[in-house]
Amino acid sequence: MKFYTSLAIMGLISFVLLSTSQAEAPTAGSSSDPVITKSYFDQNTLSEAKVKEIVASAIAANSGGSQNGSGSNGGTGVTPAANMKVVQLKNGQTLYAGAGAEFIVRTGKVLAVSKDGNGIPDVTGGKDLPAGTEVALNHLLIFPTEGRGIQVSPKNDAEVYVMVRGGYLVLNADGSTAE
């Protein structure tokens, strides 16, 4: 009798386990079943050719329709980077920024200059550079107002090149305008 009771309990447990595992299975084609057909995939995804077509039309729209390299910026078909200019400074020269200008010192040693005593925001370093502080190479400086700039350090022994975006003025040591 014990044998039949054990067998009945095992059968009941097996029945309960099997019935719950089948009840949790997702229905084919429902949102809980992630399998899709090839035709659905083909209809609802972009082919490589379609992506290239979309990109080409976006480039043509942004460059005024000159996609074949006949643009006014040297024939590249790409718009220039907001008038970035490279300026070379000689010993004794000071480069003053216009309001909103941006400088990146590429080579040489330069010092921060400020006529009003306020510092220059060094965006890369995350700090304000007071007048007389040496500017680190390849750091982005933003000039919120006029009267601030950089000058070649007396300790400089290399050529000084600065990338400039926005208005600027180069003054010689005697106060005359350079360039």
Side-chain angles (χ1 to χ4, degrees):
M1 174 96 168
K2 267 187 163 180
F3 174 73
Y4 292 114
T5 307
S6 299
L7 188 62
I9 292 174
M10 284 184 168
L12 184 61
I13 291 173
S14 299
F15 175 74
V16 169
L17 289 177
L18 286 175
S19 64
T20 57
S21 66
Q22 288 179 355
E24 293 174 7
T27 306
S30 69
S31 62
S32 62
D33 183 19
V35 178
I36 61 172
T37 63
K38 183 179 180 320
S39 61
Y40 178 85
F41 180 80
D42 291 341
Q43 291 171 358
N44 295 301
T45 58
L46 295 175
S47 66
E48 184 177 353
K50 184 67 175 171
V51 170
K52 287 180 180 179
E53 179 184 325
I54 292 170
V55 170
S57 65
I59 290 173
N62 287 338
S63 64
S66 61
Q67 194 174 7
N68 58 1
S70 61
S72 61
N73 55 0
T76 61
V78 178
T79 54
N83 302 326
M84 185 66 78
K85 184 174 181 183
V86 177
V87 177
Q88 181 181 9
L89 297 176
K90 297 178 175 53
N91 287 335
Q93 288 185 327
T94 304
L95 177 63
Y96 284 102
E102 301 173 1
F103 292 175
I104 300 175
V105 180
R106 299 289 291 148
T107 61
K109 293 181 182 177
V110 298
L111 304 174
V113 175
S114 179
K115 290 183 179 179
D116 61 5
N118 290 321
I120 300 169
D122 177 355
V123 178
T124 307
K127 57 186 174 184
D128 209 41
L129 302 177
T133 305
E134 187 168 323
V135 177
L137 295 179
N138 299 315
H139 279 223
L140 175 62
L141 307 177
I142 297 179
F143 297 86
T145 61
E146 295 179 349
R148 302 175 197 176
I150 57 174
Q151 73 181 44
V152 179
S153 172
K155 298 177 184 177
N156 183 55
D157 56 359
E159 292 182 331
V160 176
Y161 286 97
V162 182
M163 293 171 53
V164 178
R165 177 179 291 140
Y168 68 93
L169 174 67
V170 179
L171 296 179
N172 293 319
D174 62 2
S176 64
T177 305
E179 290 187 303

Short mmCIF file of all heavy atoms in Angstrom, two decimals, residues 39-92:
data_model
loop_
_atom_site.label_atom_id
_atom_site.label_comp_id
_atom_site.label_asym_id
_atom_site.label_seq_id
_atom_site.Cartn_x
_atom_site.Cartn_y
_atom_site.Cartn_z
N SER A 39 10.31 37.61 -44.01
CA SER A 39 9.56 38.62 -44.76
C SER A 39 9.27 39.85 -43.88
O SER A 39 9.36 40.98 -44.34
CB SER A 39 8.25 38.04 -45.30
OG SER A 39 7.43 37.61 -44.23
N TYR A 40 8.94 39.64 -42.61
CA TYR A 40 8.72 40.76 -41.69
C TYR A 40 10.00 41.57 -41.53
O TYR A 40 10.00 42.80 -41.56
CB TYR A 40 8.25 40.25 -40.32
CG TYR A 40 8.06 41.36 -39.30
CD1 TYR A 40 6.88 42.07 -39.24
CD2 TYR A 40 9.09 41.70 -38.42
CE1 TYR A 40 6.70 43.10 -38.32
CE2 TYR A 40 8.92 42.73 -37.52
CZ TYR A 40 7.74 43.43 -37.46
OH TYR A 40 7.57 44.43 -36.56
N PHE A 41 11.13 40.89 -41.38
CA PHE A 41 12.43 41.55 -41.23
C PHE A 41 12.75 42.38 -42.47
O PHE A 41 13.17 43.53 -42.37
CB PHE A 41 13.52 40.51 -40.98
CG PHE A 41 14.89 41.10 -40.81
CD1 PHE A 41 15.27 41.66 -39.61
CD2 PHE A 41 15.80 41.10 -41.87
CE1 PHE A 41 16.54 42.22 -39.46
CE2 PHE A 41 17.06 41.65 -41.72
CZ PHE A 41 17.43 42.21 -40.51
N ASP A 42 12.57 41.81 -43.65
CA ASP A 42 12.87 42.51 -44.90
C ASP A 42 12.00 43.75 -45.09
O ASP A 42 12.45 44.78 -45.59
CB ASP A 42 12.70 41.57 -46.10
CG ASP A 42 13.78 40.49 -46.13
OD1 ASP A 42 14.83 40.66 -45.47
OD2 ASP A 42 13.55 39.47 -46.81
N GLN A 43 10.75 43.68 -44.67
CA GLN A 43 9.82 44.79 -44.85
C GLN A 43 10.06 45.91 -43.83
O GLN A 43 9.77 47.07 -44.11
CB GLN A 43 8.37 44.32 -44.72
CG GLN A 43 7.91 43.44 -45.85
CD GLN A 43 6.54 42.83 -45.56
OE1 GLN A 43 5.97 43.04 -44.50
NE2 GLN A 43 6.03 42.07 -46.52
N ASN A 44 10.58 45.60 -42.66
CA ASN A 44 10.66 46.57 -41.58
C ASN A 44 12.08 47.00 -41.20
O ASN A 44 12.26 47.63 -40.16
CB ASN A 44 9.94 46.03 -40.34
CG ASN A 44 8.47 45.87 -40.60
OD1 ASN A 44 7.79 46.84 -40.93
ND2 ASN A 44 7.97 44.66 -40.48
N THR A 45 13.07 46.69 -42.00
CA THR A 45 14.43 47.15 -41.74
C THR A 45 14.98 47.83 -42.99
O THR A 45 14.47 47.65 -44.09
CB THR A 45 15.35 45.97 -41.36
OG1 THR A 45 15.34 45.00 -42.40
CG2 THR A 45 14.93 45.34 -40.05
N LEU A 46 16.03 48.63 -42.80
CA LEU A 46 16.64 49.35 -43.91
C LEU A 46 17.80 48.55 -44.48
O LEU A 46 18.64 48.04 -43.74
CB LEU A 46 17.17 50.71 -43.42
CG LEU A 46 16.14 51.71 -42.93
CD1 LEU A 46 16.83 52.94 -42.38
CD2 LEU A 46 15.21 52.10 -44.05
N SER A 47 17.86 48.50 -45.79
CA SER A 47 18.98 47.84 -46.45
C SER A 47 20.16 48.81 -46.49
O SER A 47 20.01 50.01 -46.28
CB SER A 47 18.60 47.43 -47.86
OG SER A 47 18.37 48.58 -48.65
N GLU A 48 21.34 48.30 -46.78
CA GLU A 48 22.53 49.14 -46.86
C GLU A 48 22.37 50.19 -47.96
O GLU A 48 22.76 51.34 -47.80
CB GLU A 48 23.76 48.27 -47.13
CG GLU A 48 25.05 49.06 -47.13
CD GLU A 48 26.28 48.18 -47.33
OE1 GLU A 48 26.14 46.95 -47.34
OE2 GLU A 48 27.36 48.74 -47.47
N ALA A 49 21.78 49.82 -49.06
CA ALA A 49 21.56 50.75 -50.18
C ALA A 49 20.62 51.89 -49.75
O ALA A 49 20.85 53.06 -50.09
CB ALA A 49 20.99 50.02 -51.38
N LYS A 50 19.58 51.55 -49.01
CA LYS A 50 18.63 52.57 -48.54
C LYS A 50 19.30 53.53 -47.56
O LYS A 50 19.07 54.75 -47.60
CB LYS A 50 17.41 51.89 -47.89
CG LYS A 50 16.34 52.84 -47.46
CD LYS A 50 15.67 53.51 -48.65
CE LYS A 50 14.51 54.37 -48.19
NZ LYS A 50 13.96 55.18 -49.25
N VAL A 51 20.17 53.02 -46.67
CA VAL A 51 20.89 53.87 -45.73
C VAL A 51 21.80 54.83 -46.48
O VAL A 51 21.86 56.03 -46.18
CB VAL A 51 21.69 53.01 -44.73
CG1 VAL A 51 22.63 53.87 -43.89
CG2 VAL A 51 20.76 52.23 -43.83
N LYS A 52 22.52 54.33 -47.50
CA LYS A 52 23.40 55.19 -48.29
C LYS A 52 22.61 56.28 -49.01
O LYS A 52 23.05 57.42 -49.11
CB LYS A 52 24.19 54.36 -49.30
CG LYS A 52 25.28 53.53 -48.67
CD LYS A 52 26.04 52.72 -49.70
CE LYS A 52 27.13 51.89 -49.05
NZ LYS A 52 27.88 51.09 -50.01
N GLU A 53 21.44 55.93 -49.50
CA GLU A 53 20.58 56.90 -50.19
C GLU A 53 20.13 58.00 -49.22
O GLU A 53 20.16 59.19 -49.55
CB GLU A 53 19.37 56.18 -50.77
CG GLU A 53 18.39 57.09 -51.50
CD GLU A 53 17.16 56.31 -51.97
OE1 GLU A 53 17.29 55.14 -52.34
OE2 GLU A 53 16.08 56.91 -51.95
N ILE A 54 19.75 57.63 -48.01
CA ILE A 54 19.30 58.60 -47.01
C ILE A 54 20.45 59.52 -46.61
O ILE A 54 20.29 60.75 -46.50
CB ILE A 54 18.72 57.87 -45.77
CG1 ILE A 54 17.41 57.19 -46.15
CG2 ILE A 54 18.51 58.84 -44.61
CD1 ILE A 54 16.88 56.24 -45.08
N VAL A 55 21.64 58.97 -46.39
CA VAL A 55 22.81 59.78 -46.02
C VAL A 55 23.18 60.73 -47.14
O VAL A 55 23.47 61.92 -46.90
CB VAL A 55 23.99 58.86 -45.64
CG1 VAL A 55 25.27 59.65 -45.49
CG2 VAL A 55 23.69 58.11 -44.36
N ALA A 56 23.18 60.25 -48.37
CA ALA A 56 23.53 61.11 -49.51
C ALA A 56 22.55 62.27 -49.66
O ALA A 56 22.95 63.41 -49.93
CB ALA A 56 23.57 60.29 -50.79
N SER A 57 21.27 62.01 -49.45
CA SER A 57 20.30 63.09 -49.57
C SER A 57 20.44 64.09 -48.43
O SER A 57 20.26 65.29 -48.62
CB SER A 57 18.88 62.53 -49.64
OG SER A 57 18.53 61.90 -48.43
N ALA A 58 20.79 63.63 -47.23
CA ALA A 58 21.01 64.55 -46.11
C ALA A 58 22.23 65.42 -46.34
O ALA A 58 22.22 66.62 -46.06
CB ALA A 58 21.16 63.76 -44.81
N ILE A 59 23.30 64.85 -46.88
CA ILE A 59 24.51 65.63 -47.19
C ILE A 59 24.20 66.66 -48.26
O ILE A 59 24.62 67.81 -48.18
CB ILE A 59 25.66 64.70 -47.61
CG1 ILE A 59 26.15 63.91 -46.40
CG2 ILE A 59 26.81 65.50 -48.21
CD1 ILE A 59 27.16 62.84 -46.74
N ALA A 60 23.46 66.25 -49.28
CA ALA A 60 23.11 67.18 -50.35
C ALA A 60 22.26 68.33 -49.82
O ALA A 60 22.43 69.48 -50.21
CB ALA A 60 22.35 66.44 -51.45
N ALA A 61 21.36 68.04 -48.91
CA ALA A 61 20.49 69.09 -48.34
C ALA A 61 21.31 70.06 -47.49
O ALA A 61 21.07 71.26 -47.51
CB ALA A 61 19.39 68.46 -47.51
N ASN A 62 22.30 69.56 -46.74
CA ASN A 62 23.11 70.42 -45.87
C ASN A 62 24.13 71.24 -46.62
O ASN A 62 24.53 72.31 -46.17
CB ASN A 62 23.82 69.59 -44.81
CG ASN A 62 22.87 69.09 -43.75
OD1 ASN A 62 21.81 69.66 -43.54
ND2 ASN A 62 23.24 68.02 -43.08
N SER A 63 24.59 70.77 -47.77
CA SER A 63 25.61 71.50 -48.51
C SER A 63 25.02 72.31 -49.65
O SER A 63 25.72 72.74 -50.54
CB SER A 63 26.67 70.53 -49.05
OG SER A 63 26.09 69.65 -49.99
N GLY A 64 23.74 72.52 -49.64
CA GLY A 64 23.10 73.34 -50.66
C GLY A 64 23.02 72.68 -52.01
O GLY A 64 22.93 73.34 -53.03
N GLY A 65 23.08 71.38 -52.04
CA GLY A 65 22.93 70.66 -53.29
C GLY A 65 24.23 70.42 -54.04
O GLY A 65 24.23 69.85 -55.10
N SER A 66 25.37 70.85 -53.50
CA SER A 66 26.64 70.65 -54.21
C SER A 66 27.28 69.37 -53.72
O SER A 66 28.22 69.39 -52.95
CB SER A 66 27.57 71.84 -53.98
OG SER A 66 27.87 71.96 -52.61
N GLN A 67 26.79 68.27 -54.18
CA GLN A 67 27.27 66.97 -53.73
C GLN A 67 28.48 66.50 -54.52
O GLN A 67 29.24 65.68 -54.06
CB GLN A 67 26.14 65.96 -53.89
CG GLN A 67 26.36 64.68 -53.16
CD GLN A 67 25.15 63.80 -53.25
OE1 GLN A 67 24.20 64.09 -53.96
NE2 GLN A 67 25.17 62.71 -52.55
N ASN A 68 28.72 67.05 -55.70
CA ASN A 68 29.79 66.55 -56.55
C ASN A 68 31.10 67.29 -56.37
O ASN A 68 32.00 67.17 -57.18
CB ASN A 68 29.35 66.62 -58.03
CG ASN A 68 29.00 68.03 -58.44
OD1 ASN A 68 29.10 68.96 -57.64
ND2 ASN A 68 28.58 68.20 -59.68
N GLY A 69 31.26 68.10 -55.31
CA GLY A 69 32.53 68.75 -55.06
C GLY A 69 32.67 70.08 -55.76
O GLY A 69 33.78 70.55 -55.97
N SER A 70 31.62 70.72 -56.14
CA SER A 70 31.72 72.01 -56.80
C SER A 70 31.35 73.14 -55.85
O SER A 70 30.91 74.19 -56.28
CB SER A 70 30.81 72.05 -58.03
OG SER A 70 29.47 71.86 -57.63
N GLY A 71 31.49 72.92 -54.55
CA GLY A 71 31.13 73.93 -53.56
C GLY A 71 32.12 75.07 -53.53
O GLY A 71 33.17 75.04 -54.15
N SER A 72 31.79 76.10 -52.76
CA SER A 72 32.64 77.29 -52.70
C SER A 72 33.75 77.14 -51.68
O SER A 72 34.52 78.06 -51.46
CB SER A 72 31.78 78.50 -52.33
OG SER A 72 31.19 78.29 -51.06
N ASN A 73 33.90 76.01 -51.06
CA ASN A 73 34.92 75.83 -50.04
C ASN A 73 36.03 74.90 -50.51
O ASN A 73 36.46 74.02 -49.80
CB ASN A 73 34.29 75.32 -48.74
CG ASN A 73 33.49 74.06 -48.96
OD1 ASN A 73 33.42 73.58 -50.10
ND2 ASN A 73 32.90 73.52 -47.93
N GLY A 74 36.50 75.08 -51.70
CA GLY A 74 37.62 74.30 -52.20
C GLY A 74 37.21 73.03 -52.92
O GLY A 74 38.05 72.21 -53.23
N GLY A 75 35.94 72.82 -53.15
CA GLY A 75 35.51 71.67 -53.92
C GLY A 75 35.39 70.39 -53.14
O GLY A 75 35.36 69.33 -53.70
N THR A 76 35.33 70.46 -51.81
CA THR A 76 35.24 69.24 -51.03
C THR A 76 33.81 68.81 -50.80
O THR A 76 33.56 67.66 -50.49
CB THR A 76 35.91 69.40 -49.66
OG1 THR A 76 35.25 70.44 -48.95
CG2 THR A 76 37.38 69.71 -49.81
N GLY A 77 32.84 69.72 -50.89
CA GLY A 77 31.46 69.37 -50.63
C GLY A 77 31.13 69.31 -49.15
O GLY A 77 30.07 68.94 -48.76
N VAL A 78 32.10 69.67 -48.29
CA VAL A 78 31.91 69.65 -46.85
C VAL A 78 32.02 71.08 -46.34
O VAL A 78 32.91 71.82 -46.75
CB VAL A 78 32.98 68.77 -46.17
CG1 VAL A 78 32.81 68.78 -44.67
CG2 VAL A 78 32.91 67.36 -46.71
N THR A 79 31.13 71.47 -45.43
CA THR A 79 31.17 72.85 -44.93
C THR A 79 32.36 73.04 -44.00
O THR A 79 32.72 72.13 -43.25
CB THR A 79 29.87 73.18 -44.17
OG1 THR A 79 29.68 72.20 -43.17
CG2 THR A 79 28.69 73.22 -45.09
N PRO A 80 33.02 74.22 -44.02
CA PRO A 80 34.19 74.45 -43.19
C PRO A 80 33.82 74.55 -41.71
O PRO A 80 32.68 74.85 -41.37
CB PRO A 80 34.74 75.79 -43.70
CG PRO A 80 33.56 76.47 -44.30
CD PRO A 80 32.69 75.38 -44.85
N ALA A 81 34.79 74.35 -40.85
CA ALA A 81 34.56 74.34 -39.41
C ALA A 81 34.53 75.77 -38.87
O ALA A 81 35.47 76.24 -38.27
CB ALA A 81 35.64 73.53 -38.71
N ALA A 82 33.46 76.50 -39.10
CA ALA A 82 33.17 77.82 -38.54
C ALA A 82 34.39 78.74 -38.53
O ALA A 82 34.73 79.33 -37.52
CB ALA A 82 32.58 77.67 -37.15
N ASN A 83 35.06 78.84 -39.64
CA ASN A 83 36.15 79.80 -39.83
C ASN A 83 37.28 79.67 -38.82
O ASN A 83 37.72 80.65 -38.23
CB ASN A 83 35.60 81.23 -39.82
CG ASN A 83 34.55 81.43 -40.88
OD1 ASN A 83 34.63 80.85 -41.95
ND2 ASN A 83 33.55 82.23 -40.58
N MET A 84 37.79 78.48 -38.60
CA MET A 84 38.95 78.26 -37.75
C MET A 84 40.18 78.74 -38.51
O MET A 84 40.34 78.44 -39.68
CB MET A 84 39.07 76.78 -37.41
CG MET A 84 40.17 76.45 -36.43
SD MET A 84 39.97 77.10 -34.79
CE MET A 84 38.81 75.97 -34.09
N LYS A 85 41.03 79.52 -37.84
CA LYS A 85 42.22 80.07 -38.48
C LYS A 85 43.44 79.80 -37.62
O LYS A 85 43.34 79.83 -36.39
CB LYS A 85 42.04 81.58 -38.69
CG LYS A 85 43.17 82.23 -39.43
CD LYS A 85 42.89 83.68 -39.73
CE LYS A 85 44.06 84.26 -40.52
NZ LYS A 85 43.91 85.66 -40.78
N VAL A 86 44.58 79.55 -38.25
CA VAL A 86 45.83 79.34 -37.53
C VAL A 86 46.62 80.64 -37.56
O VAL A 86 46.86 81.21 -38.63
CB VAL A 86 46.65 78.19 -38.15
CG1 VAL A 86 47.98 78.04 -37.42
CG2 VAL A 86 45.86 76.89 -38.10
N VAL A 87 47.00 81.12 -36.38
CA VAL A 87 47.74 82.38 -36.25
C VAL A 87 49.11 82.07 -35.65
O VAL A 87 49.21 81.34 -34.65
CB VAL A 87 46.97 83.36 -35.34
CG1 VAL A 87 47.77 84.64 -35.12
CG2 VAL A 87 45.61 83.67 -35.91
N GLN A 88 50.17 82.64 -36.25
CA GLN A 88 51.51 82.48 -35.71
C GLN A 88 51.88 83.74 -34.95
O GLN A 88 51.69 84.86 -35.45
CB GLN A 88 52.53 82.23 -36.82
CG GLN A 88 53.94 82.05 -36.28
CD GLN A 88 54.97 81.81 -37.37
OE1 GLN A 88 54.68 81.93 -38.55
NE2 GLN A 88 56.18 81.47 -36.97
N LEU A 89 52.40 83.58 -33.74
CA LEU A 89 52.85 84.71 -32.93
C LEU A 89 54.36 84.70 -32.83
O LEU A 89 54.98 83.65 -32.75
CB LEU A 89 52.25 84.63 -31.52
CG LEU A 89 50.74 84.72 -31.39
CD1 LEU A 89 50.32 84.53 -29.93
CD2 LEU A 89 50.24 86.04 -31.91
N LYS A 90 54.92 85.89 -32.82
CA LYS A 90 56.37 86.06 -32.65
C LYS A 90 56.62 86.56 -31.23
O LYS A 90 55.71 87.05 -30.56
CB LYS A 90 56.89 87.04 -33.69
CG LYS A 90 56.73 86.54 -35.12
CD LYS A 90 57.22 87.58 -36.11
CE LYS A 90 57.19 87.12 -37.52
NZ LYS A 90 55.97 86.60 -38.04
N ASN A 91 57.87 86.48 -30.79
CA ASN A 91 58.21 86.94 -29.45
C ASN A 91 57.80 88.39 -29.27
O ASN A 91 58.01 89.22 -30.16
CB ASN A 91 59.72 86.78 -29.18
CG ASN A 91 60.09 85.33 -28.97
OD1 ASN A 91 59.26 84.53 -28.56
ND2 ASN A 91 61.34 84.99 -29.25
N GLY A 92 57.21 88.71 -28.13
CA GLY A 92 56.76 90.06 -27.83
C GLY A 92 55.35 90.37 -28.28
O GLY A 92 54.79 91.40 -27.91
#
